[in-house]
């Protein structure tokens, strides 16, 4: 092993608090892999939760691995070292199970890199019983695992708290069983998708036929924890060089009750569930012994029913509160006072639709008056810096919608300037503009993404329009990255060769060109409602609801008699 690599691992472990290095002692060994760098992975609460859950079983040893940075990858190749686990610095091939935790579709590109560095064939069909079982879970897999399905032996479809105990118990009890037999057995577990046990036939053009090859249902039903109230998910490991390094992260709720038509979180984590206030208070007390700030986590933190009381409790215990963004129609002065006392200099709000027509289309449920009132509350709470999230390229968007967005920003700016004159402190507005990306299991899953050339023109218009406004800055998400995300969100198993080739070439656009992959068609086309989608192999029980919401959004007939 290269001394540089060994020293890097030693330094990371030395910085961490809470790390447990266990003796393997004949137990089932799992290497939990985050296919991105350490700082990002360790800030992911879901990743930490699975790590903690696995190590809570007496018959499991769970260690971690992360994708090295470019400079480290060169050192791996130079020294001939295989990718190693962080805790015991063993090659991934020494483990019984390799478990990928994937939150974002763009990290699908990194999975072939992990296999290459580990010395493992990427395709499941090319691996034998001498190599680890490859499993995966995470939000990206809840939505559409098909682009990486050929890499995986099995996929956990749903929340780890309800899936992992049964799965790990079966794997532990059947360690000596032939892999073919083992996969037949695990395919019968709730929430377990075994891609090799499903036949996928692609029709000419678009669409597919899906069938089970082992006599089971042709779909796998997503699993969720129906009772999260008495439990808690929170940070268990800390290091100074990870994101949110000064925070103890605590999940207050799961899912979202709002049902915005573009957003997957409200559908793949449905129903909306909230944790017990008393349990969270206990966790706050524990967390403040380690970190000075409590980061509240959830897709809809503002909708947590005891939010103000929980935040006040944090302050009473000498801590500070952080949360990523606030729901516009649930903002009040009491909450702003708490954020101000916690040292917040900026508050993030998400109008998302630039015009009222678009906000109604996406079912955002807020008016311009509510947006302006929320801004007044923030500014009145002596927080003069605002971050506003907008989506462009939403279905049916016109230039008029963009002009209304600029008009809204101008109205908000006038309020910030007026407050600045009064307080003799100048605030600022930052616009975060992101293109619409169609997501599986949302009412807009059938809508295509707008052409990048058209989106670039909209970016240019907003640069000009906002550029003339003082104290307003604008940030744009990369169209290239958004396009890739849409491709992987909507793709099927035929993308596996593309992912391997993209890693080999170091350029995904070149890989698509060499494989003659029509990316634009996959990303931008509107899909007929009766077409079988790649992710229809998964079943969340909401398809009819999604169809109705799609039809309502665009004024189509909803008569099903």
């Amino acid at each position: 092993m290269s001394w540089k690599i060994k020293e890097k691992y030693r330094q990371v472990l030395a910085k961490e608090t809470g790390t447990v290095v266990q003796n393997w002692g004949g137990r089932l060994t799992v290497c939990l892999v985050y296919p991105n760098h350490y700082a990002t992975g360790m800030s992911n609460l879901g990743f930490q939760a699975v790590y903690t859950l696995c190590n809570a079983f007496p018959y499991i040893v769970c260690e971690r691995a992360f994708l090295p940075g470019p400079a480290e990858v060169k050192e791996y190749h130079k020294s001939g070292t295989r990718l190693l686990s962080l805790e015991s610095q063993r090659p991934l091939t020494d483990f019984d199970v390799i478990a990928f935790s994937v939150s974002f579709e763009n990290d699908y590109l990194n999975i072939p890199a992990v296999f290459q560095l580990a010395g493992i064939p990427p395709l499941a069909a090319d691996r034998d019983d001498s190599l680890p079982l490859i499993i995966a879970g995470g939000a990206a897999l809840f939505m559409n695992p098909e682009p990486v399905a050929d890499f995986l032996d099995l996929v956990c479809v749903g929340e780890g708290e309800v899936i992992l105990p049964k799965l790990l118990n079966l794997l532990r009890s059947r360690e000596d069983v032939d892999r073919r037999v083992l996969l037949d057995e695990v395919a019968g577990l709730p929430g377990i998708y075994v891609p090799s046990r499903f036949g996928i036939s692609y029709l000419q053009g678009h669409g597919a036929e899906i069938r089970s090859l082992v006599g089971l249902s042709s779909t796998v039903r997503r699993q969720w924890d129906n009772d999260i109230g008495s439990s808690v998910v929170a940070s268990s490991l800390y290091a100074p060089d990870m994101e949110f390094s000064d925070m103890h992260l605590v999940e207050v709720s799961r899912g979202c009750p709002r049902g915005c038509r573009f957003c997957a979180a409200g559908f793949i984590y449905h129903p909306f569930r909230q944790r017990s206030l008393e349990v969270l208070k206990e966790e706050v007390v524990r967390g403040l012994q380690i970190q000075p700030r409590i980061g509240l986590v959830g897709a809809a933190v503002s909708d947590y029913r005891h939010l103000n009381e929980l935040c006040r409790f944090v302050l009473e215990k000498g801590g500070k509160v952080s949360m990523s963004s606030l729901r516009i129609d649930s903002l009040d002065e009491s909450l702003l006072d708490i954020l101000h006392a916690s040292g917040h200099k900026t508050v993030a709000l998400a109008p998302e639709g630039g015009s009222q027509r678009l906000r109604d289309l996406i079912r955002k449920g807020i008016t311009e008056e509510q947006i302006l009132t929320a801004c007044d509350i923030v500014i009145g709470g002596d927080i003069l810096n605002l971050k506003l999230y907008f989506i462009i390229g939403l279905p049916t968007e016109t230039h008029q919608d963009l002009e209304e967005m600029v008009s809204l920003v101008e109205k908000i700016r006038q309020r910030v300037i007026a407050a600045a004159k009064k307080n003799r402190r100048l605030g600022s507005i930052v616009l975060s503009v992101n293109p619409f990306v169609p997501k599986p299991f949302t009412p807009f899953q059938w809508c295509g993404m707008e052409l990048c050339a058209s989106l670039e023109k909209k970016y240019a218009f907003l640069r000009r329009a906002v550029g003339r406004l003082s104290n307003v800055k604008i940030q744009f998400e990369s169209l290239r990255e958004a396009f890739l995300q849409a491709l992987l969100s909507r793709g099927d198993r035929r993308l596996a060769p593309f992912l391997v080739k993209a890693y080999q070439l170091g350029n995904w656009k070149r890989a698509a060109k060499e494989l003659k992959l029509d990316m634009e068609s996959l990303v931008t086309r509107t899909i007929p409602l009766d077409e079988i989608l790649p992710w229809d192999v998964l079943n969340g029980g909401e398809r009819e609801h999604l169809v109705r919401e799609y039809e309502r959004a665009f004024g189509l007939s909803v008569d099903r008699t």
Side-chain angles (χ1 to χ4, degrees):
M1 182 196 305
S2 163
W3 70 268
K4 291 183 180 179
I5 293 173
K6 187 173 184 179
E7 179 63 15
K8 174 72 173 179
Y9 279 71
R10 188 193 68 77
Q11 290 176 1
V12 170
L13 279 177
K15 290 178 182 178
E16 284 192 356
T17 59
T19 305
V20 178
V21 181
Q22 303 183 61
N23 187 301
W24 284 18
R27 288 178 285 182
L28 183 75
T29 57
V30 178
C31 189
L32 183 63
V33 179
Y34 194 87
N36 211 311
H37 54 78
Y38 170 86
T40 300
M42 285 310 301
S43 299
N44 185 291
L45 193 54
F47 179 83
Q48 286 209 28
V50 172
Y51 177 75
T52 302
L53 178 63
C54 289
N55 278 316
F57 293 101
Y59 53 84
I60 302 289
V61 172
C62 183
E63 300 189 3
R64 295 163 291 158
F66 303 89
L67 186 68
E72 293 172 273
V73 168
K74 290 181 181 179
E75 183 62 32
Y76 271 90
H77 290 316
K78 179 181 177 182
S79 65
T81 303
R82 295 297 189 190
L83 185 62
L84 307 172
S85 70
L86 182 59
E87 282 80 358
S88 64
Q89 298 171 40
R90 300 190 194 214
L92 268 61
T93 48
D94 285 0
F95 288 81
D96 299 314
V97 177
I98 294 174
F100 285 95
S101 175
V102 190
S103 299
F104 307 104
E105 296 91 346
N106 288 23
D107 283 339
Y108 285 171
L109 276 175
N110 297 331
I111 292 178
V114 172
F115 283 127
Q116 174 68 25
L117 291 170
I120 297 173
L123 295 178
D126 295 336
R127 300 192 294 264
D128 59 29
D129 285 2
S130 68
L131 292 168
L133 190 75
I134 308 296
I135 72 177
L141 280 301
F142 297 1
M143 291 186 283
N144 183 14
E146 290 305 281
V148 292
D150 285 344
F151 302 152
L152 307 172
D153 292 312
L154 61 94
V155 177
C156 297
V157 183
E159 298 172 3
E161 295 93 334
V162 291
I163 294 176
L164 285 175
K166 293 178 183 178
L167 173 63
L168 293 174
N169 185 54
L170 190 150
L171 295 181
R172 178 68 179 88
S173 66
R174 307 291 279 168
E175 283 185 87
D176 298 326
V177 173
D178 174 86
R179 179 168 302 186
R180 180 183 57 80
V181 175
L182 177 64
L183 290 178
D184 283 342
E185 290 187 15
V186 299
L189 292 177
I192 298 298
Y193 171 41
V194 180
S196 63
R197 299 307 185 259
F198 285 80
I200 310 293
S201 302
Y202 296 107
L203 308 178
Q204 188 173 5
H206 299 284
E209 293 178 350
I210 303 169
R211 65 190 186 284
S212 169
L213 301 178
V214 290
L216 299 174
S217 169
S218 60
T219 61
V220 176
R221 193 165 185 85
R222 190 185 309 118
Q223 304 295 301
W224 56 86
D225 186 353
N226 287 319
D227 181 21
I228 71 167
S230 59
S231 62
V232 68
V233 171
S235 299
S236 56
L237 296 171
Y238 312 88
D241 53 354
M242 59 189 274
E243 296 174 17
F244 315 120
S245 59
D246 67 334
M247 292 188 201
H248 180 75
L249 302 178
V250 182
E251 184 187 53
V252 299
S253 61
R254 193 168 291 178
C256 178
R258 304 287 181 159
C260 295
R261 291 175 174 136
F262 66 90
C263 180
F267 295 96
I268 65 170
Y269 289 107
H270 180 80
F272 180 58
R273 291 149 291 158
Q274 304 180 66
R275 297 196 183 274
S276 158
L277 177 61
E278 293 309 312
V279 169
L280 293 180
K281 284 182 176 180
E282 291 176 9
E283 185 59 35
V284 164
V285 172
R286 187 183 78 83
L288 288 177
Q289 295 173 356
I290 306 167
Q291 299 284 37
R293 185 176 290 272
I294 301 297
L296 303 182
V297 177
V301 172
S302 293
D303 286 308
Y304 178 60
R305 59 177 170 255
H306 303 300
L307 181 61
N308 283 15
E309 186 176 350
L310 178 63
C311 290
R312 284 194 298 271
F313 180 80
V314 174
L315 293 184
E316 290 167 4
K317 294 300 178 180
K320 297 181 178 180
V321 177
S322 286
M323 55 190 81
S324 57
S325 65
L326 300 173
R327 178 77 189 185
I328 286 170
D329 58 357
S330 60
L331 197 58
D332 60 35
E333 294 178 1
S334 174
L335 183 57
L336 259 295
D337 289 342
I338 291 168
L339 296 179
H340 186 265
S342 294
H344 277 247
K345 305 297 184 185
T346 302
V347 164
L349 304 173
E352 278 155 341
S355 67
Q356 191 60 53
R357 185 185 72 83
L358 287 181
R359 289 191 291 274
D360 292 341
L361 177 81
I362 64 178
R363 202 169 175 266
K364 186 67 181 176
I366 55 173
T367 64
E368 180 175 295
E369 182 180 355
Q370 287 175 307
I371 295 169
L372 296 176
T373 298
C375 292
D376 287 338
I377 293 173
V378 173
I379 297 165
D382 203 28
I383 300 177
L384 302 184
N385 302 310
L386 292 168
K387 187 168 188 178
L388 305 173
Y389 292 98
F390 288 98
I391 299 173
I392 68 164
L394 286 164
T396 76
E397 183 179 72
T398 66
H399 189 73
Q400 177 64 34
D401 296 308
L402 296 181
E403 290 179 336
E404 289 188 39
M405 172 184 162
V406 174
S407 175
L408 174 62
V409 172
E410 287 178 326
K411 292 174 184 177
I412 296 171
R413 174 179 166 272
Q414 290 169 6
R415 283 164 159 76
V416 170
I417 290 175
K421 291 178 180 177
K422 180 180 178 181
N423 297 314
R424 297 184 179 180
R425 286 190 298 115
L426 189 60
S428 65
I429 300 173
V430 175
L431 307 183
S432 178
V433 178
N434 308 281
F436 164 71
V437 173
K439 292 288 185 177
F441 296 103
T442 68
F444 282 3
Q445 65 182 351
W446 293 280
C447 303
M449 180 178 174
E450 190 169 332
L451 290 168
C452 285
S454 174
L455 289 169
E456 187 55 64
K457 290 178 181 178
K458 292 182 176 182
Y459 273 15
F461 166 76
L462 291 174
R463 281 192 196 96
R464 291 193 303 268
V466 173
R468 61 184 172 78
L469 302 177
S470 61
N471 302 105
V472 180
K473 297 180 180 179
I474 190 164
Q475 300 170 344
F476 294 102
E477 182 183 358
S478 163
L479 289 179
R480 185 176 185 272
E481 292 300 309
F483 183 88
L484 175 62
Q485 183 186 149
L487 174 68
L488 298 174
S489 293
R490 305 186 109 199
D492 56 38
R493 293 190 189 184
R494 290 173 292 186
L495 286 186
F498 159 75
L499 293 170
V500 173
K501 179 69 74 172
Y503 169 68
Q504 292 170 344
L505 298 177
N507 186 310
W508 59 268
K509 283 194 171 183
R510 215 175 112 209
K513 186 174 182 180
E514 286 197 14
L515 295 173
K516 297 181 172 56
L517 180 66
D518 186 0
M519 295 191 294
E520 191 167 286
S521 174
L522 288 170
V523 168
T524 63
R525 79 183 187 98
T526 298
I527 301 174
L529 289 176
D530 60 353
E531 184 175 304
I532 295 177
L533 303 166
W535 50 92
D536 278 346
V537 70
L538 309 183
N539 178 7
E542 64 277 279
R543 183 181 176 89
E544 287 304 311
H545 173 67
L546 298 180
V547 170
R548 285 195 300 271
E549 283 298 306
Y550 176 88
E551 292 175 327
R552 286 175 180 140
F554 301 109
L556 303 176
S557 171
V558 294
D559 182 7
R560 300 202 167 274
T561 61

